[in-house]
Amino acid sequence: MTACAIEPSAGSEDEDGTAPAGCTLTADGAYGARLASAGDSWFPERWTLDGPEPYAVPLPRNQPEEPGTEVQPMGDGRVLIHRVVAARHAFSLLYPTGPGTGELPLGAVECADATARLRLLPPAPGGERAYALAVGPRSTSVWLVAGGAFGPERLAELPGRCTGGVWLDRAGRLLALDREAGGRVKTVVVDLDGGGEVSPLLQIAAESDDRLLLADLDSGLLIVRSDAPSPGQGRLGWGVLGSSLPVRFPECLRLRDCSVTPFAIQPGQVLTPESCAVALRLDGPAGSWVGVWRPVERRVHHLRAPEGWLAGTGVWTPEGVLRLPYATQAVPCGVARVSPPGAVPPEPEPAAQVPEPPGGRGEHESPAPSAPSAPPPAPSAPRPVPLREAPLGRLVTN
């Protein structure tokens, strides 16, 4: 069990960490928050991004923050801050008050186990609540740390070590986590309003490690990473929540000498998930740049990142414009607007090929998961259809 207890108030002491490099955005992209530097000191900074011109508001307190401090924007413009001292995790809301910074303490979570790690989960839809994940040696807890009635509240506890964190509905009820158990990683869904009920979501093959990276709430497009087609080598793939089609692993997402990290999906494509543009962070020997890929295409568009890009940060508009926050000495708070090439008509599917060894370009055969003997009882709220129940007998690469 993850040994964590609630404390009624929080201080402002911290622990050492590594310097932050990016900016966290609300789910709708209206606000951002990051730790900014002034010489050797760090202070929280809120970015307002939904107006005609972006601007930043510094939120310093009486003493500098440690570089390991986490910040997250809320939907009302306040900034949640997570400070750590020893095994004590303190949460507060920061907000501008004329020339100064106001602070509303929310309480603290204390983990008795020194090996337990607690971090903020990605911003929830709506921006009214914030959550954290406490990972212990044998179990993981999900905590509500902002937006509750009585301070931090533990909502669920799962056996196994969990990573990731992807929201699957606009109500902020269904949270997907990548759980390590029995030597394998599989994605599960936690119902935060249903007593922490856990159900499977992603299980491509029995012996594969399967992780969910991104989900679009409009179209149901899912971006996954799995070593099912190439054992020992994680590959990017895509599927659609509730679809009967198999997960596909495009060859164009395998770039030599580059790491590929998806960070944003174009919203608004309700009936055409294959046309959603996916923003990629590409890291190679020459540095970092931006890639754009759509499932309907078999290519990645490579785009130059703006100078000072907060790498891996960005948000799409429904019209297909990618907004990339950046900061330079001349422009301390800026947003570059990138309009990548539009989708091209889909190419015809290639002819069937003889299966090749793992890692090849052909289709890979794997036994299909057995169907449940009886349908599960109707849930109290809409739930995603687990991909493991779709006919995933073949893993398609193209």
Side-chain angles (χ1 to χ4, degrees):
M1 304 288 285
T2 303
C4 295
I6 302 174
E7 292 186 2
S9 61
S12 57
E13 298 177 79
D14 318 296
E15 71 173 4
D16 291 336
T18 57
C23 180
T24 301
L25 304 182
T26 54
D28 61 3
Y31 291 103
R34 68 169 188 149
L35 280 189
S37 63
D40 295 331
S41 300
W42 296 92
F43 61 91
E45 188 175 73
R46 187 196 72 192
W47 286 31
T48 300
L49 305 173
D50 60 348
E53 292 293 335
Y55 64 93
V57 176
L59 297 172
R61 291 296 291 158
N62 298 329
Q63 64 182 34
E65 306 291 347
E66 294 294 333
T69 300
E70 289 186 294
V71 292
Q72 184 174 117
M74 304 296 290
D76 60 4
R78 293 183 294 180
V79 172
L80 174 69
I81 187 166
H82 167 211
R83 302 182 179 104
V84 184
V85 56
R88 193 165 174 267
H89 302 263
F91 300 91
S92 295
L93 288 173
L94 305 179
Y95 52 93
T97 56
T101 301
E103 179 168 355
L104 174 64
L106 299 177
V109 175
E110 185 173 4
C111 296
D113 192 327
T115 64
R117 304 294 181 185
L118 188 146
R119 63 172 178 85
L120 293 177
L121 284 164
E128 297 177 355
R129 295 185 172 192
Y131 301 83
L133 200 67
V135 184
R138 292 176 296 276
S139 67
T140 300
S141 299
V142 181
W143 288 79
L144 173 65
V145 295
F150 306 104
E153 176 186 358
R154 184 167 59 187
L155 301 179
E157 183 143 7
L158 297 72
R161 298 175 60 85
C162 294
T163 57
V166 177
W167 297 100
L168 298 179
D169 68 326
R170 297 197 181 280
R173 172 174 182 171
L174 301 178
L175 174 66
L177 296 171
D178 302 324
R179 181 171 65 177
E180 179 183 353
R184 297 296 174 188
V185 178
K186 304 294 180 185
T187 304
V188 298
V189 179
V190 185
D191 186 343
L192 299 181
D193 287 349
E197 179 187 355
V198 179
S199 59
L201 177 73
L202 185 64
Q203 181 173 306
I204 298 177
E207 300 302 317
S208 61
D209 290 328
D210 310 315
R211 295 175 170 86
L212 179 62
L213 305 182
L214 292 177
D216 176 55
L217 305 184
D218 294 326
S219 64
L221 177 65
L222 305 179
I223 306 299
V224 307
R225 189 183 298 276
S226 173
D227 62 357
S230 304
Q233 299 180 4
R235 291 184 54 179
L236 290 177
W238 69 277
V240 178
L241 197 63
S243 173
S244 61
L245 297 177
V247 175
R248 294 177 175 267
F249 295 87
E251 283 290 327
C252 65
L253 296 181
R254 303 179 74 185
L255 301 180
R256 180 175 298 179
D257 298 327
C258 288
S259 63
V260 183
T261 307
F263 63 88
I265 302 178
Q266 178 187 359
Q269 313 302 302
V270 178
L271 301 178
T272 56
E274 298 85 357
S275 298
C276 290
V278 180
L280 311 170
R281 172 180 172 171
L282 306 176
D283 296 287
S288 300
W289 65 99
V290 180
V292 173
W293 163 81
R294 298 176 179 87
V296 74
E297 297 179 309
R298 292 195 176 91
R299 60 168 298 184
V300 173
H301 300 279
H302 297 262
L303 309 172
R304 185 185 301 275
E307 180 184 358
W309 178 42
L310 305 178
T313 303
V315 63
W316 287 98
T317 68
E319 295 75 25
V321 177
L322 180 59
R323 306 176 73 227
L324 301 173
Y326 68 92
T328 65
Q329 186 172 3
V331 183
C333 176
V335 175
R337 293 166 175 83
V338 179
S339 297
V344 299
E347 302 174 13
E349 290 289 339
Q353 302 180 32
V354 177
E356 297 179 359
R361 296 176 58 91
E363 295 184 351
H364 302 271
E365 300 292 336
S366 64
S370 58
S373 57
S380 57
R383 301 184 63 82
V385 176
L387 288 181
R388 71 184 186 94
E389 295 179 3
L392 300 176
R394 59 191 183 98
L395 306 177
V396 180
T397 58
N398 51 33

